[in-house]
Amino acid sequence: MRSTRCSPRTRRATLPDPLPSGAGEDAHFRALERLYAAAPINRLFESILEIPARGVARIRFTIDERHFHAGGAAHGTSYFKMLDDAAFYAANSLVTDRFLLTTAFNLHFTRPLRAGPVVAEGRWISGQRRVFVADARLIDATGEEAARGTGTFMKSRIALAGLSGYGSR
């Protein structure tokens, strides 16, 4: 097992051992990115998922007036969706056979999101078998953190290989 930095803080976590040689870790990451792009919900939230490494996910999206509440800033649904997705895909990047499900998510708003580009950064924290914990943060166009969240994700009975989008190229 390897040690890796798991958050901007000083905590450290140990990543599970890499996939066996030839198992296609990069192929798994690209398949998860395709799965994300194929999800019907993402027709409402134009966004791009990138999985650059095991336990790390990044979602780039743009907030515009369609996402605003009556007060002129992004509604909490935008915060939750992107934080949950970034944390989820960071965790699911470590699991090659099953789709994970969110079992809990804790969200902290730190500043309003206005119109402009936003990045959701997700990072695996712990868990290696059935339950995984990952956190995520939203970074606005000025480079400031707008929200942070931590989620718990559990392996489901849903095989990744059977999901539309995961296996297609």
Side-chain angles (χ1 to χ4, degrees), residues 149-168:
T150 303
T152 304
F153 308 91
M154 181 184 292
K155 276 190 177 183
S156 73
R157 295 181 185 189
I158 303 167
L160 281 170
L163 294 174
S164 177
Y166 181 80
S168 58

Side-chain angles (χ1 to χ4, degrees), residues 32-44:
L32 287 173
E33 292 167 355
R34 287 190 303 275
L35 182 65
Y36 177 83
I41 187 69
N42 289 321
R43 291 182 208 134
L44 302 174

Side-chain angles (χ1 to χ4, degrees), residues 36 41 49 57 59 61 76-92 99-107 120-123 134-138 148-153:
Y36 177 83
I41 187 69
L49 169 68
I59 300 173
F61 62 104
T77 55
S78 298
Y79 290 78
F80 172 75
K81 192 237 187 270
M82 296 306 175
L83 288 168
D84 177 55
D85 284 355
F88 166 89
Y89 280 97
N92 220 147
F99 186 74
L100 298 181
L101 298 173
T102 304
T103 59
F105 202 89
N106 191 12
L107 170 60
E121 299 175 338
R123 188 168 305 275
D135 67 7
R137 61 192 196 132
L138 295 182
R148 173 176 296 273
T150 303
T152 304
F153 308 91

